[in-house]
Amino acid sequence: MNKLSRFLKFLDNNIIKILLSVFIFLVPLWPKLPIRMIDYTYIAIRLEDIYLVVMSLIFIIQLVRKKVILNKTYLWLFILYWLAVFVSALWGIYVAKTVIFYHLGLLHALRRVEYMIVFFIASSIINNKRDFFQMLNLFVVSVFLVGLYGLGQKYLGFPAVQTMNPEFAKGYILHLTPEARISATFAGHYDLASYLVFAIPIVLSFYFYFKKNYFYLFVFVLSLIVLVDTSSRISF
């Protein structure tokens, strides 16, 4: 009973950090399989969307219970941006009449909140340098795994799930031809390239910061190779 009590207390105190740690791996590594398609678009609701909603709800509960502290440094900037996005959507729906399908306008606005809410979740659990490097090291490991999968897709026939057109977005398991641009676990080669462009400077800076730890150098070189195999102009 005491062990269970200690475990539940630990879980209660660290649930947001645990959920965020899983999120760091879930978004880049989970195949982009649709759960529910949205009418009049080939964008689908996927597992990471549901996971983020659950994580955000738990974050709000923990805020109310004062288990975490909201970082308010940039809060008003975020709120102003979100207000502008929703006002723009409502203007397009009811005044300008440029948004034909109302649910798409609102979903696009909600998506800005979905993307940006993670900032507040992450900043609430990073209280010192140790927390900061712990989260970034998890990120580097996820980059490493993405890179390995990308090479496996190129040379070992690992499958791909892409959303680059309405048919692929239905969740087909694809096997790329030798000359095809790899996407690893991402929805398209350009998504993978965008992820790597942000990741590569972080990985290289870790190599120098941690007294030339060669794991970071390996991840850096691996990421460059995979970036080349995406053949994506977005990396420029």
Side-chain angles (χ1 to χ4, degrees), residues 13-213:
N13 291 331
N14 296 277
I15 185 66
I16 302 300
K17 181 179 285 189
I18 294 168
L19 289 172
L20 183 64
S21 300
V22 174
F23 185 77
I24 289 170
F25 291 95
L26 178 69
V27 172
L29 291 171
W30 189 259
K32 304 306 179 273
L33 296 165
I35 292 176
R36 187 183 188 283
M37 301 300 294
I38 299 172
D39 293 339
Y40 307 111
T41 179
Y42 58 88
I43 293 172
I45 295 172
R46 301 194 297 247
L47 177 64
E48 59 263 36
D49 297 310
I50 296 172
Y51 186 92
L52 182 52
V53 169
V54 172
M55 183 168 68
S56 300
L57 289 173
I58 294 173
F59 173 67
I60 292 168
I61 291 169
Q62 295 297 78
L63 267 181
V64 172
R65 296 178 63 227
K66 297 183 179 179
K67 287 289 184 178
V68 292
I69 299 172
L70 180 66
N71 186 335
K72 298 178 182 178
T73 306
Y74 301 105
L75 180 60
W76 285 109
L77 293 175
F78 280 72
I79 290 173
L80 287 172
Y81 176 78
W82 289 335
L83 281 173
V85 169
F86 278 100
V87 168
S88 176
L90 294 173
W91 182 273
I93 291 169
Y94 296 110
V95 181
K97 306 292 185 182
T98 52
V99 179
I100 300 170
F101 303 110
Y102 297 170
H103 70 288
L104 293 185
L106 292 173
L107 281 172
H108 275 296
L110 282 170
R111 213 171 186 194
R112 309 309 128 199
V113 180
E114 178 189 18
Y115 291 157
M116 299 169 76
I117 196 71
V118 182
F119 171 82
F120 293 104
I121 295 173
S123 63
S124 73
I125 57 97
I126 296 175
N127 300 310
N128 50 52
K129 186 186 288 187
R130 180 175 172 274
D131 292 335
F132 177 74
F133 283 114
Q134 190 178 57
M135 290 296 110
L136 275 182
N137 270 307
L138 291 178
F139 172 71
V140 172
V141 173
S142 75
V143 175
F144 170 66
L145 295 175
V146 166
L148 287 182
Y149 194 93
L151 289 185
Q153 201 173 65
K154 179 75 173 178
Y155 299 107
L156 300 174
F158 288 6
V161 179
Q162 299 184 343
T163 64
M164 294 171 62
N165 62 50
E167 198 62 27
F168 286 176
K170 294 176 182 176
Y172 293 120
I173 307 298
L174 307 173
H175 291 277
L176 305 181
T177 56
E179 71 279 0
R181 295 180 286 187
I182 64 171
S183 56
T185 49
F186 284 77
H189 63 280
Y190 45 84
D191 291 326
L192 174 58
S194 299
Y195 175 79
L196 291 175
V197 163
F198 280 105
I200 284 171
I202 296 173
V203 174
L204 185 61
S205 66
F206 268 41
Y207 168 64
F208 291 111
Y209 184 85
F210 288 109
K211 309 302 179 185
K212 299 186 179 180
N213 184 316

